[in-house]
Amino acid sequence: MTTMAETMDYDEVVARFDPVLGLEVHVELSTATKMFCGCATTFGAEPNTQVCPTCLGLPGSLPVVNGAAVESAIRIGLALNCDISPWCRFARKNYFYPDMPKNFQTSQYDEPIAFEGWMDVELADGDTVRVGIERAHMEEDTGKSLHVGGADGRIHGASHSLLDYNRAGVPLIEIVTKPIEGVGDRAPEVARAYVTALRDLLRALQVSDVRMDQGSLRCDANVSLRPVGTTEFGTRTETKNVNSLRSVERAVRYEMTRQAAVLAGGGEIVQETRHFDEGSQTTSAGRRKETAEDYRYFPEPDLVPIAPSADWVARLRETLPEKPAELRKRIQQEWQLSDAELRDLLNAGAVEVIAATVQAGATPDEARSWWVSYLAQQANTRGVELAELPIGPAQVAKVIALVNAGELTNKLAREVIDGVLAGEGEPAEVVAARGLAVVSDDSALTAAVDEALAAQPDVADKIRAGKVQAAGAIVGAVMKATKGQADAKRVRELILERCS
Amino acid sequence: MPSISRAEVAHLARLARLAVTEEELDTFAGQLDVIVSSVATVNEVAAEDIPPTSHAVPLTNVFRDDVVREGLTNEQALACAPAAEDGRFQVPRILGEEQ
Amino acid sequence: MTEPTDSAALTRLTAAELAARIHAGEISAERVTQAHLNRISEVDGAVHAFLHVDTEGALDAARAVDAELAAGKQPRSALAGVPLALKDVFTTNGVPTTCGSRILDGWIPPYDATVTRKLREAGVVILGKANMDEFAMGSSTENSAFGPTRNPWDHDRIPGGSGGGSAASLAAFEAPLAVGTDTGGSIRQPAAVTGTVGVKPTYGGVSRYGLVAFSSSLDQGGPCARTVLDAALLHEVIGGHDPLDSTSIDAAVPPVVAAARQGADGDLRGVRVGVVTEFAGEGYQPGVLSSFHAAVETLRGLGAEVVEVSCPNFEHALPAYYLINPSEASSNLARFDAMRYGLRVGENGASAEEVMSATREAGFGAEVKRRIMLGTFALSSGYYDAYYGQAQKVRTLVSRDFAAAFERVDVLVSPTTPTTAFPIGERVDDPMAMYRADLCTVPVNLAGNAAISVPSGLSDEDGLPVGLQVMAPAMADERMYRVGAAFEAARDAAQGGSLVLGCPSVPGTVEPQGSGA
Ligand SMILES: [Mg+2]
Ligand SMILES: [Zn+2]
C-alpha cells in the first residue's frame, strides 16, 4: 500500500506541470478489399471467412497494393496539408505476435507517403489550435484475438486464445501528430477536439467509417509532463484502448493527474504502454517488456516503390471536399444562423451530419429538425455522438424523401429510423420488412372512415352539422384502426368528404 | 571486427524466437563470428555516395483494383491449423500485449 | 529416328522429342508418364531426388492430355504431356509442400503457385516434388530435413543445391524437365555439377506467387532440362507477367525458344562474348578452368568475338549476398510459428511465445537457424547500416559493373562453379566453404539479370561435369539461349552426343552416409 496519492488534483497539476501530447490515430479505410489482397473488409463477418493465402500469411503468398487505398492515403495527406512523397516504399516491421500472420507488419518506416502537415482544430469556445502533423503512412491491420478462460475476455489469465484473421490486412492509415505543446490545462480538450476534427475530416473525405466503437478509428494518446517553465520533454506514456471521443479526453486527463502524482512524489515515469479502462476511467500499465523491441525494419522486397506523379496528386487534390471550417462558414451564411446557433449545432456535433443530409437531398430545415430532435434523443440515450449513430446522412435524407413523397408519416418515419438504428438495413428495407408504408389507398381508407363514422354516429352527426373540429375523434379512430399507417391529412379530407 | 558474444547470440535467438540449446549457443557464436567477419568485407567498399538497391528491377506503382476476389473458405483456412475452435485458430495463451 | 519401345529408352528422350511423339499420336502421354514413374521407383531409392511422387495426379494429368489429343484438339502447349519434377518450394493445391523442412511436414497447401498453375494449364505432367536444401538454403541438398539427394554421376557426391533434387532427377533420367529456383545459384550450380542445363531467368520474368520465399529480392524460378531447347520450351510455359506478383515484369516472355533454335545453327558471328576476368585463379579447380577455356575457344570457333571484361565489384558480391539473403530470410521465415499451419511442439501449458520458440527450434535445421540468426543480426539496430545497408550499396555497384560490361559485350561467360561436385559431408561443418560454391553465380541474382549453365565437359581430375555460365542483360534472356544452344550443339557434335547421356546413373543401394562422416 502506498501512502502517496495516486492522482493529483487537476488544478494543481496544471499549475505545476506543462503537458505535451502526441496523438497517433489509426484509421481503417473503407475500401472494398484489403490493403494487399482481394479479400472483403466487411465488418462483423463470420470468423476467418474473409481470408486468403496472402492475408493468412500462407507460405508462398505475396502482397499486391490496393490502388484505391493509396488514393485514400494521398487524399488524407492532402486534406491534412501534408507534402506527398514523390517516391516511397513499404517496409517490414518485424516482431512476433499471433494476430499477425507473417510476424511482420507491412508498414511504412522512414518514407511515409504523406508528411509535414497541419490541421486547425476549433475548441468549444471558438478558439483555434493548429496541430502539426508529422506523418500519415499506410499499413495493414492485424487479426483479432479472443482470449478464453480468463476474466472479462482479458488477455491476463486466459488459458488460450482464438484468432480470427478477417481484419488482418485491412488497410490502415496511421496519422501521427507532432508534439502538441503549450495548451496547458486545455490538453484533454485539445486531444478530444483534434480527434473529433480528424474524424469529421475523414468522414467528409469518405475514406473510412470512422467508427470508434467498431475500431475503424483508434487513438493512442502519448502524454508527458514537464515542470512549468522548462522546455525538455518528460518521459511519455502511450495509452491504448481509447474507444470513444469522451475517453480520449478522460484518458489524457487521468494520465496527467497520475503522472503528476508520481513526479511530485519524487518518482519517475516509466516509458510504457498503458491500457485505458472504460469502466474505471483510469489507465493501467501493460506488461513490461524484458528487452527493448528491435523491429529490424527494411524495405519490403515483395512490393515495388510508390511514386505518385504530380498529375495524379493534382487530380486527387481536386476530389477533396470542402474543409470542415469552410463548410461551417458557408453553412452559417446559407442557413442564416447566429453565432450562438452555430455554436449549439457545433457542440451537438450536428453541423457535418446536417450538411451531408442536405447534400443528399433534404432541405436544411428538414435535416436540422431530424438531427437536433429525434436523432439527438437517440444519440443521447445511447451515449454516443450524432455521427456515431449507426445511421448516416444519406439514410436520413432518404427517410425525409419518403415523408415528402407521402409514403411515410412522421410517426412511421421514426419507426423506420428505429429500424435502421437497430441494424435492420436501409430505410427501404425497413419499410418493407416492418410493413410501414402509409396506407394511401383511398378505397381502404374510405372503408375505415365509414366504419369509424358508423361506430360513432353522434360524432358523425356533429361533423355533418358543421362542427369540423369533431372530426379529430374520427381521425384518431381511423389511425388506430390502420395502426398509424394512414396519412392523417388524407383521412381528415375523406371524413369531411363523407360528411358533406 | 565485431566478435559476436554468446550473450549476443542469445539475444538474437530471442528476437528470432529460437529456443536454442546451450550447445547451439556456442556453435552459432563461433560460426556467426566467422561468417560476420568474412562478410564484413562489404565495408571495405567505398560507397558513401552510392544509392542502395532494394529491388533488382526498377518497377514502381504496381497496383491492384479494389475488387473483391474469392479467397479461402473457413474450412480451407483451418484445414492445416494445428488446433481450431469455433471457426478460429486456437493458439496457446499469449503473454505479451498487442503492439 | 527409331521408335523407342521400352520404358527405359523413353526416359532418355528430350522433352522436345517426347512432345513431338505424343502430339503426333505415336505414343501416349500416359505411357511416357508411366515410364518415368517406373524409372523413379527403380532409381530414386538410391538418388532421392523426390520428396513426394504424385503417381495418381501425374497419371490423371497425362490421361487428360491424351483424351484431348484423341478428341482432335490442339496440344495445350509445346510441352503438353511431358513429365516434370517440381521443386518442393512451389505450392501445389492438395499435394504436400515441405520446402525440405520438418516445420512444414504434412502441410497441404490450399492453393497452386502461379508456376504450378501454368504447368497444369499447359498440360505438363507434374510427377512429384523434388528434394531441396531446407527452404532453399544450401549448395548441396544435404540440408534437406528428409535426407540428401545423391549426384547420379557419383552417389557419394552432392548434386548441388539447393535444387539438387531437380537437377538429379534430370541426370538420373527420372524426368526430362524440372523447375527449380535460383536465389544465389540454386538452379545453375546443381545443373553444372550434374551435367544438365539450368536457367535463372531475369528477375520478374517468372512469377514468385506460390514460391515459398527464401530471399524475396533474389529468388527466381526457372527451367531445368537436359538440353538448352528443352529449357527454353519450359521457360515459355512458366514465364510471363503475373498480377499476383508485384515484382513481375509486365512484358512478353523474351523469345527464348526461337533463340535456342537459332543458336543450334552454330553461327555466332557478330556476337560479342565477354570473359569475366575475376572468375579464375585461386580456388578454381584446374579441370574446371581448362574445361572453361576450351569452351571459350569453342565459342570463338563459332564466330563469336571474345574479349576479356573486368567486373571489379563482383568480388564483393558473395559477402553482400550472404548479408541480403539471411536478412530477408529471417523475416520471410518468421511466419513459421506453429499458430496457423505446420508443426507445433511444446504445448502443455506453455505460452504462445514459448510454443513458437520451441517449434522453430525443433522444426528448423542448423543452416536455416544459422541464417535466421545472421539475418536478425544484420538487420538489428546498430548493425543495419554497416551490414544490410552496405550490402544494398554493393548491389548497386554490381549492377553498374554489369551495365558497363553489357555496353561492350552481348553476353558474359564464366565457369558456373569453382569446383566440380564435392563429396557429401565435406563442407557441412564449414559454412564459408559451402558458401563459396555460389561465387560465380550470385552477381546475377544481385543485379536481377539472367544466366544459364550449360554443360561444358568433364573435369580432367575427376571426370565430373563442369558448367559454362552465360550471363545476359535483364530481359535479354534470349541472348544466353542462343549462345548456350550454339555451344551445346558444337560440344555435342565434337563429343558424339549429349554429355548427360554419359552419366553412369547405375541404380543400386548406397551406404547411408551421415553428415560430416
Ligand atoms: Mg503503425
Ligand atoms: Zn486476403
Side-chain angles (χ1 to χ4, degrees), chain A residues 34 37 39 51-52 55:
Chain A
K34 295 185 178 180
C37 65
C39 290
V51 292
C52 73
C55 57

Side-chain angles (χ1 to χ4, degrees), chain C residues 446-460:
Chain C
L446 292 181
N449 55 320
I452 190 171
S453 178
V454 182
S456 64
L458 300 177
S459 167
D460 300 332

